[in-house]
Amino acid sequence: QVQLVESGGGSVQAGGSLRLSCTVSENIKDILCVGWFRQAPGKERERVASINTRYGNPEYVDSVKGRFTISQDNAANTVYLQMDSLEPEDAAVYYCAAPVGWQAGVGWCPSSMNVYKVWGQGTQVTVSS
């Protein structure tokens, strides 16, 4: 089964930047989509961004638009999440995940978290004010 490994988390001050990496154990175009999710203490997990690894079409939750950028490096089988202008509200454990059963001809990624069945172990992001 495909495996996803996150890295790049850490502690920054508000206004700072971090880049998260999600390295996939197989060709990222074969898994069709990679989503970045986050979960803060006491809050539900939410999708932050996603990218269709064959067609692009990045999507973002409104709260990170203009600050976060999702991208991919096909040669490295890695999807990145560049996070700029970080705010204390961005502090959370960040996970990358891939869907199972998503159709190859669809140009976007699933919005339902239930479709994402393969998850990384998570990486902690701390933002101090």
Side-chain angles (χ1 to χ4, degrees):
Q1 180 171 321
V2 63
Q3 293 181 326
L4 285 70
V5 178
E6 303 98 335
S7 61
S11 298
V12 296
Q13 291 189 328
S17 298
L18 284 173
R19 188 178 78 160
L20 306 182
S21 300
C22 175
T23 301
V24 183
S25 62
E26 60 185 62
N27 190 321
I28 59 173
K29 290 190 174 183
D30 289 341
I31 64 171
L32 303 179
C33 286
V34 171
W36 280 101
F37 299 79
R38 66 185 179 187
Q39 187 166 21
K43 294 187 177 181
E44 293 186 351
R45 190 172 297 187
E46 66 171 344
R47 184 169 63 133
V48 175
S50 59
I51 189 166
N52 186 293
T53 55
R54 292 191 180 185
Y55 299 100
N57 297 330
E59 297 176 295
Y60 304 92
V61 68
D62 286 347
S63 61
V64 307
K65 285 182 180 177
R67 301 189 297 121
F68 289 14
T69 304
I70 189 170
S71 63
Q72 65 188 78
D73 182 337
N74 295 336
N77 288 326
T78 300
V79 173
Y80 302 101
L81 185 67
Q82 177 68 41
M83 305 186 295
D84 299 319
S85 302
L86 281 161
E87 303 169 354
E89 293 74 22
D90 296 317
V93 178
Y94 282 71
Y95 302 87
C96 62
V100 173
W102 195 240
Q103 295 184 11
V106 177
W108 59 90
C109 290
S111 58
S112 171
M113 199 177 309
N114 294 333
V115 184
Y116 292 84
K117 302 293 187 181
V118 183
W119 292 81
Q121 81 286 355
T123 186
Q124 178 73 50
V125 171
T126 303
V127 185
S128 57
S129 58

